[in-house]
Amino acid sequence: MPEETPRPPQDRPWETGWTPDTSRTPGTRRLWLAGVLALATVAACATAISVTARDRDRPERATAAPAPSDQVTAPGLISFGSPSPSEAASPAGETDQQAPDGRRAPRTAPAPIHRPATPPGPTAPATSPAPHPGSPTKPKPAVPWRSVRSVNHPDRFWHVAGGLVRLDPVGSAQARGDATFKLVKGLADSSCYSFATAGGGYLRHRDFVLRAEPDDGSALFEKDATFCPRTGSAPGAIMLESVNFPGRFLRHRDFRLRLDPVQHSALYRADSAFRLVDGVA
């Protein structure tokens, strides 16, 4: 192995004859690196300043967060958020004007529109006051006019002819008027019935025959003109019993109305059964 020749020490050139290179200043490379780094730093600062100044000259845009949507979309579906207030259309009359230097001019509100004042409309009518205690009240409806129809002859009704009451079919207007009566409370007993005629009289029995006569004001007339309803032989039918002759009922015989004592026969029950119906007049 060859032996390494020791390098002569550089601090004693008189012994070896070596001299340092004096053509280059010591530390020049480090100075160059420091200068390049300084220039790069200055260039970066200048670039940042210019970019910042450029951004200031641009119009500012507010980046508002999108308004929360009230609608909830299922996962995996595409949803579109509602536009932010800054992107909404400007109200009518307001315009965005841009100044020559690139900045946005403030919005100007539209001039108010002066409309002629409209006259007030008619006020709602006030509620009607409560009736005065002394004012007259509405009259009660009158007692309805009724007709009496036979059960075993349903096409025939009680009909006044010549002062007597018959069981007749009614066709003409005159016949319908004579076959309609006002049903009122009994003259002798309020729980019973009396039949008032259109001429102002009442139906009463005299000599056990039913007839129409004017009221003479006597107690006998009131009793003769009062009949009490009893349950009839047919559904919805009644029998009319005399007040002053209990046990006698109105029945038709030969189509004439009479007051006969009760009989336990099918014919009597059918002849004495009647229905009160609406007036045929």
Side-chain angles (χ1 to χ4, degrees):
M1 172 178 283
E3 295 181 0
E4 294 182 357
T5 303
R7 187 175 181 180
Q10 298 179 1
D11 54 349
R12 291 177 293 181
W14 58 85
E15 296 180 358
T16 59
W18 178 86
T19 59
D21 187 6
T22 57
S23 62
R24 186 176 59 183
T25 305
T28 305
R29 182 178 301 174
R30 295 178 181 178
L31 292 176
W32 276 102
L33 292 177
V36 171
L37 182 59
L39 291 176
T41 302
V42 173
C45 292
T47 303
I49 293 173
S50 62
V51 170
T52 304
R54 191 184 310 168
D55 291 341
R56 289 179 180 177
D57 294 339
R58 292 180 181 178
E60 296 180 0
R61 293 185 180 179
T63 56
S69 176
D70 295 338
Q71 299 179 357
V72 179
T73 57
L77 299 179
I78 299 177
S79 60
F80 299 92
S82 57
S84 60
S86 61
E87 297 178 359
S90 301
E94 296 185 2
T95 57
D96 293 340
Q97 297 179 357
Q98 191 168 3
D101 58 354
R103 298 180 180 273
R104 177 177 296 178
R107 294 183 178 180
T108 57
I113 301 175
H114 298 283
R115 294 185 175 89
T118 57
T123 59
T127 57
S128 57
H132 193 272
S135 59
T137 58
K138 184 178 180 180
K140 296 182 179 180
V143 179
W145 291 79
R146 309 303 295 272
S147 295
V148 185
R149 183 171 61 187
S150 172
V151 169
N152 54 352
H153 294 278
D155 60 333
R156 291 176 178 262
F157 299 83
W158 287 10
H159 175 235
V160 178
L164 300 178
V165 181
R166 296 175 49 87
L167 195 64
D168 294 334
V170 293
S172 63
Q174 180 64 33
R176 290 194 297 271
D178 294 335
T180 304
F181 311 96
K182 182 182 290 185
L183 191 65
V184 297
K185 293 182 179 181
L187 300 180
D189 188 348
S190 60
S191 63
C192 301
Y193 295 151
S194 290
F195 298 89
T197 62
Y202 289 89
L203 300 184
R204 65 169 296 189
H205 67 84
R206 183 161 57 86
D207 298 331
F208 302 118
V209 176
L210 191 63
R211 63 190 75 211
E213 292 184 358
D215 186 4
D216 58 6
S218 64
L220 178 63
F221 184 93
E222 292 178 354
K223 293 181 180 180
D224 290 346
T226 303
F227 305 92
C228 298
R230 310 301 182 201
T231 302
S233 59
I238 61 173
M239 297 175 65
L240 295 170
E241 184 180 15
S242 173
V243 168
N244 51 353
F245 288 93
R248 285 180 176 262
F249 295 83
L250 289 174
R251 66 167 292 188
H252 67 86
R253 187 170 60 181
D254 298 332
F255 300 120
R256 294 180 181 180
L257 273 297
R258 297 179 54 85
L259 195 63
D260 284 354
V262 63
Q263 300 176 14
H264 300 285
S265 66
L267 180 61
Y268 181 91
R269 289 193 296 270
D271 290 346
S272 60
F274 304 96
R275 288 191 175 94
L276 299 178
V277 297
D278 294 338
V280 295

